[in-house]
Amino acid sequence: MNDSSNTDHALPSHFIRHMIEHDLASGKHGGRVQTRFPPEPNGFLHIGHAKSICLNFGLAEQYHGACNMRFDDTNPEKESQEFIDAIKADVKWLGFKWHGEVRYTSAYFQQLFDFALQLVRAGKAYVCSLTPEQAREYRGSLTEPGRNSPDRERSSEENLELFLRMQKGEFADGQYSLRAKIDMSSPNINMRDPIIYRIRNVVHHQTGDYWKVYPMYDYAHCISDALEHVTHSLCTLEFEDHRPLYDWLLHNLSVDSLRNACLELGNLQEDARYVLPEQTEFARLNINYNVMSKRKLKELVELGLVGGWDDPRMPTLSGLRRRGFTPASIRRFCEIIGMSRSESIVDIGMLEHCIREDLDENSARAMCVLRPLKVTLINFTDEQAQTLHLPRHPKKDIGERQINFGRTLYIDQTDFEQTPPPGYKRLSPGEEVRLRGAYVIKCEEVICDSEGKVVELLCSLDPSTLGQNPQGRKVKGVIHWVPAEGALRAEVRIYDRLFNNSNPDDKLLGDFKNSLNADSLQILTDCLVEPSLESAVAEESFQFEREGYFCVDRYDSRPNALVFNRTVSLRDSWTKTNT
RNA sequence: UGGGGUGUCGCCAAGUUGGUAAGGCAUCAGAUUUUGAUUCUGACAUGCGUUGGUUCGAGUCCAGCCACCCCAGCCA
């Protein structure tokens, strides 16, 4: 794991930090900062979640508070242990440590149920027999108010009995629901007697078959926050309209009972002040040329359009990890994109900048020839072969690597041009170029096969140019190479953006899969890397000079059959101006 | 056409109580360079969705428009 960025960057301010500083100054939450990261375990985490993770954990770190890791597992049908394990691994990999044990909303099911009983007894919740279709019809529309359920005035005794029977498993899924009694004519649809419990006769991955009723998100989330004594409940913009319900539920439950439950769970000191949590929303992350919805990512996986959740082209954390992105680069990215309430689409170039910044500073250099072209040095014999010592990094002292230099070697096919374009600084007939870390050579003869394809170059070497510039002339270019003797065969996977369109979510484009880039993966199997890479370990990152940053694939690479993933290319002002 | 939001440089994004538009990414130009990389230097919004108003002075206050996003799951 590459996590060594010691570059200091001041933390930019944003509205949430302002709010917290204000709260701290006013003593609103008793000077505490308690956040939480509450994913539903129904898929893998993606870079959008990283924004939330960095926010919640980062805030806790910065203000000496704590951040809980909580699985919001109220919908057993879509969730699984596999996702729980993957999510935990991703958060740890990002470098964050949650406060205490991992929490589960399902661990609060009993308390949640008891609070529901409290609402029922208080006449603030009722059991409704409307079918899902009827409920939708009764709810009204965006412009029309809803109508009261015929069960709205049922006595609390009867509601109590029915709700208890719901949990006993006496009814079928959908036969009854528990609803908060608020206002069917509210302009905010979330307040039109929202359903807070539904019947599901299924097995839950954490609680087994004990529960027959499951709480809805709106009901469970605010109470879970209160039970964990969360101060700042941060979520994305689409939950803005849910905030009145979040507050309604907490304010219609007895604070003492919330406090006591919090106390019993060990989340509150005996004599401490108890303050209810407050929700604040921020804009979710969008990145161009990417889709960021779990539903769509899941679809790509299930349709086999990518290799899995951790396919290196995916914006998932496990995909980015496999691609070679470092935790530090992702955290840095989440910092520089800022935090606001306006929906925006961040340029993928920002993410690329972050990983280049990290890897430029922290990765060792090596040479890799992607498309080998044989070069024979006509005035150099194998008896003259020598070992060269090259620094592993141009600026930081992290040791050196050895490369043998002999009569035959390989350069990249793209570094030779029979008829070079103006400004070309690489090898061409009759011209000189420097072999990186070695000598200046001159192309004397080009050997082609019967089809005219260049198969070998015969070059002469200037023996006076090792470690010094030739006299009386300037050699414009430097190219990388690999010795024939000792070079390692490697497979290199080159990734391009998964989508051709900058906004695959654009509804005018139809299905997002229409924008899929058919050439997003290119596999090169005949690459040659320098001998020093023999000791490369899984996930280790390198800069292959003049090519880009690559990492050892954590699953497919073997010592004798190396596999590298290209994380990102180097910035390139040459091909950019020549296309 | 109900409710809730958002509109500052190509992309993000700062702009405390109104005082004369931070920063990053990208881009362009130049210097250094045995990576056409890195690094360094310089350029890059008389303008803050729009129209009016208040004011000596408005991105910041007021009013009206316009555009876009979210909400009618017993999903989260």
Side-chain angles (χ1 to χ4, degrees):
Chain A
M1 197 182 303
N2 193 336
D3 195 13
S4 53
S5 194
N6 42 19
T7 357
D8 286 328
H9 298 284
L11 294 176
S13 83
H14 57 238
F15 78 104
I16 296 179
R17 291 213 245 251
H18 282 313
M19 172 185 69
I20 289 184
E21 278 158 25
H22 184 266
D23 291 347
L24 252 22
S26 71
K28 184 172 183 177
H29 295 278
R32 297 173 58 248
V33 172
Q34 172 71 58
T35 56
R36 99 269 93 112
F37 173 60
E40 183 190 11
N42 66 346
F44 278 53
L45 260 25
H46 54 66
I47 184 120
H49 292 104
K51 179 179 180 183
S52 173
I53 293 170
C54 291
L55 208 221
N56 282 293
F57 284 93
L59 251 17
E61 240 166 57
Q62 183 184 0
Y63 297 106
H64 310 292
C67 179
N68 292 352
M69 174 76 210
R70 180 168 83 225
F71 286 100
D72 208 0
D73 54 349
T74 58
N75 187 7
E77 289 164 305
K78 292 185 175 168
E79 302 157 0
S80 75
Q81 187 63 41
E82 176 207 357
F83 295 132
I84 290 175
D85 296 339
I87 290 169
K88 284 198 280 192
D90 285 341
V91 173
K92 279 188 199 164
W93 174 73
L94 261 191
F96 292 107
K97 195 166 173 357
W98 50 79
H99 179 60
E101 297 298 306
V102 169
R103 331 274 167 141
Y104 295 84
T105 300
S106 58
Y108 308 139
F109 279 172
Q110 186 59 57
Q111 288 92 329
L112 258 3
F113 189 79
D114 293 342
F115 284 121
L117 257 20
Q118 185 185 132
L119 288 177
V120 170
R121 289 198 180 95
K124 290 173 176 172
Y126 62 95
V127 172
C128 180
S129 62
L130 255 26
T131 64
E133 297 69 38
Q134 291 172 317
R136 190 192 326 126
E137 192 199 320
Y138 272 73
R139 191 153 34 232
S141 71
L142 294 177
T143 50
E144 301 157 321
R147 287 144 48 214
N148 284 168
S149 161
D151 299 326
R152 200 171 198 263
E153 299 309 325
R154 198 201 302 278
S155 72
S156 52
E157 292 71 30
E158 208 176 327
N159 284 324
L160 197 58
E161 189 206 324
L162 278 170
F163 186 48
L164 258 11
R165 288 175 62 198
M166 280 166 67
Q167 163 54 15
K168 277 186 186 145
E170 294 186 21
F171 307 118
D173 289 10
Q175 197 175 339
Y176 285 107
S177 65
L178 185 69
R179 299 230 250 163
K181 195 173 184 175
I182 309 181
D183 178 7
M184 287 306 290
S185 65
S186 171
N188 182 344
I189 292 177
N190 294 302
M191 299 298 269
R192 316 237 263 231
D193 288 11
I195 288 165
I196 57 178
Y197 264 96
R198 77 284 220 184
I199 299 172
R200 283 291 176 276
N201 291 288
V202 295
V203 172
H204 187 285
H205 49 96
Q206 301 301 309
T207 59
D209 62 3
Y210 181 83
W211 295 97
K212 308 300 176 194
V213 291
Y214 289 93
M216 298 288 287
Y217 163 86
D218 283 313
Y219 176 76
H221 206 89
C222 54
I223 298 176
S224 300
D225 283 343
L227 295 183
E228 293 179 10
H229 207 196
V230 164
T231 56
H232 303 270
S233 181
L234 310 173
C235 63
T236 44
L237 247 26
E238 67 268 27
F239 293 104
E240 221 169 346
D241 291 341
H242 297 235
R243 198 190 330 143
L245 178 52
Y246 185 103
D247 292 334
W248 186 94
L249 286 163
L250 292 183
H251 291 288
N252 280 278
L253 253 12
S254 115
V255 191
D256 285 341
S257 61
L258 286 168
R259 194 198 134 98
N260 286 338
C262 185
L263 212 51
E264 276 173 32
L265 285 164
N267 295 328
L268 182 72
Q269 300 290 324
E270 199 67 51
D271 51 349
R273 195 170 133 217
Y274 182 69
V275 186
L276 293 176
E278 283 182 16
Q279 173 179 308
T280 301
E281 312 82 17
F282 59 91
R284 64 185 315 140
L285 173 65
N286 295 295
I287 299 181
N288 58 12
Y289 299 100
N290 275 284
V291 295
M292 213 63 85
S293 94
K294 230 184 248 179
R295 194 211 99 214
K296 289 175 182 168
L297 295 175
K298 204 181 198 100
E299 198 175 333
L300 292 174
V301 173
E302 286 170 356
L303 260 33
L305 295 169
V306 293
W309 285 98
D310 62 356
D311 185 295
R313 293 165 293 182
M314 292 280 273
T316 50
L317 293 180
S318 51
L320 290 165
R321 174 180 183 174
R322 193 162 176 201
R323 176 79 169 255
F325 279 79
T326 59
S329 70
I330 292 172
R331 279 189 260 116
R332 172 86 182 122
F333 172 72
C334 290
E335 207 55 71
I336 72 168
I337 56 173
M339 188 64 62
S340 77
R341 288 173 63 84
S342 64
E343 311 97 7
S344 55
I345 302 177
V346 175
D347 194 314
I348 184 69
M350 292 255 226
L351 218 207
E352 293 175 348
H353 166 259
C354 292
I355 188 59
R356 286 192 183 110
E357 182 181 58
D358 184 358
L359 261 21
D360 174 58
E361 185 185 340
N362 299 305
S363 69
R365 310 292 128 120
M367 294 195 284
C368 169
V369 171
L370 263 17
R371 299 169 185 81
L373 173 59
K374 185 179 183 185
V375 169
T376 300
L377 302 174
I378 54 179
N379 61 342
F380 195 79
T381 65
D382 276 331
E383 286 67 53
Q384 292 170 284
Q386 59 186 294
T387 299
L388 302 175
H389 300 263
L390 303 188
R392 287 168 61 78
H393 194 283
K395 292 176 182 165
K396 286 167 68 172
D397 185 14
I398 55 169
E400 60 172 34
R401 60 201 151 108
Q402 298 184 356
I403 290 198
N404 52 308
F405 185 85
R407 179 177 163 82
T408 80
L409 50 93
Y410 292 91
I411 67 169
D412 199 282
Q413 286 169 25
T414 59
D415 283 335
F416 174 77
E417 216 46 83
Q418 296 234 58
T419 50
Y424 194 69
K425 299 208 297 189
R426 307 174 191 182
L427 197 59
S428 54
E431 298 295 326
E432 285 186 309
V433 77
R434 173 177 291 283
L435 292 177
R436 174 73 165 160
Y439 300 87
V440 169
I441 60 169
K442 181 179 184 180
C443 177
E444 304 288 356
E445 198 179 331
V446 181
I447 299 176
C448 299
D449 64 13
S450 55
E451 288 162 9
K453 183 177 183 262
V454 179
V455 292
E456 184 179 352
L457 264 24
L458 301 184
C459 299
S460 60
L461 165 155
D462 182 340
S464 72
T465 54
L466 182 62
Q468 48 193 330
N469 287 323
Q471 306 201 335
R473 61 193 200 281
K474 263 208 181 100
V475 173
K476 47 193 190 306
V478 178
I479 63 173
H480 55 98
W481 57 282
V482 124
E485 195 65 37
L488 276 22
R489 246 329 236 294
E491 173 178 316
V492 175
R493 299 168 182 171
I494 307 287
Y495 300 101
D496 196 359
R497 45 179 63 131
L498 234 196
F499 294 94
N500 282 319
N501 196 283
S502 70
N503 184 10
D505 287 324
D506 191 335
K507 291 170 184 73
L508 298 175
L509 265 32
D511 192 291
F512 77 103
K513 297 191 293 304
N514 295 156
S515 303
L516 239 17
N517 174 11
D519 304 314
S520 58
L521 170 61
Q522 187 185 0
I523 300 177
L524 301 175
T525 52
D526 299 317
C527 310
L528 293 171
V529 296
E530 64 173 68
S532 72
L533 256 30
E534 192 179 10
S535 56
V537 299
E539 297 201 276
E540 189 172 5
S541 281
F542 295 92
Q543 184 200 96
F544 288 165
E545 292 189 286
R546 301 208 314 127
E547 288 291 355
Y549 297 97
F550 298 73
C551 73
V552 180
D553 188 86
R554 56 190 295 221
Y555 299 126
D556 299 339
S557 193
R558 299 283 175 278
N560 56 344
L562 294 166
V563 176
F564 291 95
N565 296 322
R566 187 176 75 181
T567 308
V568 66
S569 67
L570 249 31
R571 285 187 68 207
D572 181 7
S573 53
W574 168 247
T575 57
K576 198 176 283 177
T577 56
N578 285 277
T579 44

